[in-house]
Amino acid sequence: MGIIRASQIKSPWILHFDNSSCNGCDIEVLACLTPLYDVERFGMVNMGNPKHADVLVVTGPVNYRTARVLKNLYSQVPDPKMVIAVGTCACSGGVFHNCYNILGGVDKVLPVDVYVPGCAARPEAIIDGVVLALQKLAKAVGVAK
Amino acid sequence: MNQVWIAIVAIIVAPLIGGLLAGIDRKITARLQGRYGPPLIQPFYDFFKLLGKTRIATSRTQFIWLYGYLIFMIAALVMLVLKQDLLLLVFLLGFAGISFVLAGFSCKSPYSHFGANRELLQILAYEPVLLLMALGVFATNGSFMISEIFESSTPLLAKLWPIFIALLVVLTIKMRKSPFDISTSHHGHQELVKGIMTEISGPYYALVTLTEWYELVLVLGLIALFWANPLWVEILIALAAFVLELIIDNINARMTAGWMVRFTWAVGLVLCILNIAYLYFMKGVS
Ligand code: SF4
């Protein structure tokens, strides 16, 4: 159905998961919800429940403990879903690279769709990342312009 | 035959109005918070997106109760547009609420159970007010029929304004707005995840959204009955109540479930009972 596919890119609900970040990126993710950036204009809503989410926004490097939680959350998000790695840590491990407890970036555990680098990633960059993810989704479901 | 057509039109048009009102709700709320806000038809985008998600089944009985929630709600709406018995309408609304609670209880998630418990407390809070509203209408018109309300020349509001205030509180509970944002924790994800909605995802979430749109139109319709003639005042009074709810939502913090029951019983029930007692007292005098 065309209308369903067109709606899929208009209403991304976001689940934000913090692996083991320094909280710098988390604060920037929350800054997107403030009146200055107001991501709700694009229909993005911050959800607290993986079963209602479309986009998984992950910050911070994966460590041995959060890897299991992250996989669990990912499997609870119903298809179609997207994963966005926000911040240098989530992309590659960043400053935590080669720590004894760190596995590395999110892509060590999950298939990542969009990488948003930056320490901390700026809200504009995060919004750009979500828009890029939506374009990818639009291509995948076949409504790309 | 005419009645059937009215019912069909109501069933089709009500969710459109409900969805549009939900869109206005999000826009006005955003503006009150100094944000730009989503497009007006965002609720419809959300609805169709949810239809396209995969189904994750946690419990099959839950789906049956959710269908029950929808069907009882539609039945109650049909009762309203066909101007049938008000008391029966209140009972149907009660059945719909109970179906939703049972949907919450029919899966194992503790969050869902918490939400269902709180939904039950909500029903405990508003159901007596709705019943007393029907009784108040009976005390003024001598009949439970909604068609009688349309025939009487003086609006109900003149005699039943305390009950009207109590009904506004019920509207806040039904719209799940602050300070009564209790069972689904719409704005407090950290507390209950999503309360009774936790295990309801994808197309079934869309089903609940649809039912909530019907519910919104139905409760606004009940409020409109208080000034049934002429039609434009009826619509105006419903819209005014709706905007008032949005403002109340934005200037209030969330309260606890216990506070909700105490408040609705102390204010709502007392207003209703005093109102009805006064009506019967005046009847006895004259
Ligand atoms: S990228 Fe920088 S700000 Fe973000 S979690 Fe890593 S260290 Fe913190």
Side-chain angles (χ1 to χ4, degrees):
Chain A
M1 285 265 285
I3 187 162
I4 289 179
R5 280 197 231 111
S7 301
Q8 264 164 356
I9 55 168
K10 294 270 190 191
S11 137
W13 289 359
I14 285 170
L15 179 74
H16 169 209
F17 181 65
D18 173 2
N19 272 309
S20 45
S21 86
C22 74
N23 275 154
C25 286
D26 304 304
I27 290 170
E28 300 300 327
V29 168
L30 292 182
C32 298
L33 302 170
T34 57
L36 184 59
Y37 298 104
D38 184 28
V39 287
E40 211 196 341
R41 315 180 260 155
F42 309 117
M44 298 180 203
V45 183
N46 192 10
M47 280 288 156
N49 184 356
K51 294 194 173 172
H52 298 163
D54 306 295
V55 181
L56 185 56
V57 172
V58 190
T59 56
V62 182
N63 65 28
Y64 286 100
R65 287 215 164 248
T66 58
R68 198 188 60 221
V69 182
L70 190 57
K71 271 188 214 152
N72 196 351
L73 282 177
Y74 180 75
S75 59
Q76 286 187 44
V77 178
D79 281 318
K81 55 189 164 192
M82 290 271 142
V83 179
I84 303 179
V86 169
T88 308
C89 288
C91 295
S92 65
V95 284
F96 301 107
H97 181 68
N98 269 353
C99 282
Y100 63 92
N101 61 337
I102 295 292
L103 272 165
V106 177
D107 48 7
K108 286 272 173 5
V109 193
L110 299 183
V112 175
D113 293 288
V114 175
Y115 296 88
V116 181
C119 176
R122 295 195 54 84
E124 291 94 334
I126 297 172
I127 295 172
D128 274 353
V130 177
V131 171
L132 195 65
L134 291 181
Q135 281 167 1
K136 268 188 96 168
L137 185 65
K139 273 211 193 92
V141 297
V143 291
K145 291 178 198 94
Chain B
M1 200 58 216
N2 202 6
Q3 301 256 311
V4 176
W5 280 116
I6 293 176
I8 290 173
V9 168
I11 290 172
I12 295 170
V13 172
L16 295 179
I17 299 174
L20 208 60
L21 284 176
I24 296 172
D25 170 0
R26 283 176 73 171
K27 196 88 187 170
I28 292 182
T29 302
R31 285 294 161 88
L32 284 174
Q33 294 170 355
R35 295 186 286 117
Y36 184 74
L40 216 51
I41 53 168
Q42 184 65 42
F44 295 104
Y45 288 143
D46 292 349
F47 177 78
F48 284 113
K49 176 205 73 179
L50 286 168
L51 281 183
K53 303 282 280 183
T54 42
R55 289 152 201 254
I56 304 181
T58 40
S59 142
R60 277 185 203 288
T61 35
Q62 185 176 47
F63 306 150
I64 297 171
W65 288 121
L66 288 180
Y67 283 121
Y69 181 38
L70 177 68
I71 288 166
F72 280 126
M73 197 60 77
I74 291 179
L77 184 80
V78 169
M79 297 281 285
L80 179 70
V81 292
L82 295 186
K83 302 181 184 168
Q84 294 296 311
D85 199 318
L86 192 59
L87 197 60
L88 216 55
L89 190 158
V90 170
F91 284 141
L92 279 174
L93 204 56
F95 282 144
I98 292 291
S99 296
F100 192 40
V101 170
L102 287 174
F105 275 130
S106 57
C107 53
K108 291 205 178 82
S109 156
Y111 297 113
S112 182
H113 277 213
F114 260 116
N117 269 325
R118 290 174 170 208
E119 182 78 21
L120 213 51
L121 276 178
Q122 288 193 356
I123 294 178
L124 188 69
Y126 68 70
E127 204 62 23
V129 176
L130 284 179
L131 276 175
L132 286 177
M133 179 201 75
L135 211 61
V137 171
F138 183 77
T140 36
N141 279 353
S143 153
F144 281 119
M145 293 301 278
I146 295 174
S147 49
E148 295 275 325
I149 298 174
F150 281 89
E151 272 156 29
S152 72
S153 51
T154 48
L156 282 179
L157 196 60
K159 280 184 183 163
L160 293 182
W161 58 267
I163 290 186
F164 183 74
I165 296 173
L167 200 60
L168 286 181
V169 179
V170 174
L171 177 65
T172 325
I173 299 178
K174 277 284 191 191
M175 282 171 74
R176 303 176 204 287
K177 294 286 190 195
S178 298
F180 303 117
D181 174 18
I182 307 263
S183 73
T184 58
S185 23
H186 195 64
H187 294 295
H189 303 308
Q190 322 305 333
E191 182 191 329
L192 265 192
V193 186
K194 197 85 169 103
I196 196 166
M197 302 290 289
T198 306
E199 294 296 320
I200 302 169
S201 63
Y204 295 100
Y205 194 112
L207 198 73
V208 174
T209 317
L210 186 69
T211 316
E212 279 177 347
W213 292 347
Y214 276 117
E215 190 177 31
L216 178 61
V217 173
L218 178 64
V219 180
L220 285 180
L222 285 182
I223 282 180
L225 282 186
F226 278 74
W227 201 306
N229 288 317
L231 188 65
W232 64 270
V233 184
E234 190 176 355
I235 293 172
L236 212 64
I237 205 165
L239 280 183
F242 179 69
V243 173
L244 182 71
E245 279 334 313
L246 298 186
I247 294 170
I248 289 175
D249 177 36
N250 277 290
I251 60 176
N252 270 294
R254 298 170 61 230
M255 289 299 202
T256 60
W259 180 87
M260 171 184 69
V261 177
R262 279 200 298 278
F263 177 79
T264 42
W265 284 35
V267 178
L269 274 193
V270 167
L271 276 176
C272 290
I273 291 171
L274 284 182
N275 197 172
I276 292 171
Y278 177 76
L279 284 176
Y280 275 105
F281 176 70
M282 290 309 282
K283 257 195 203 151
V285 170
S286 62

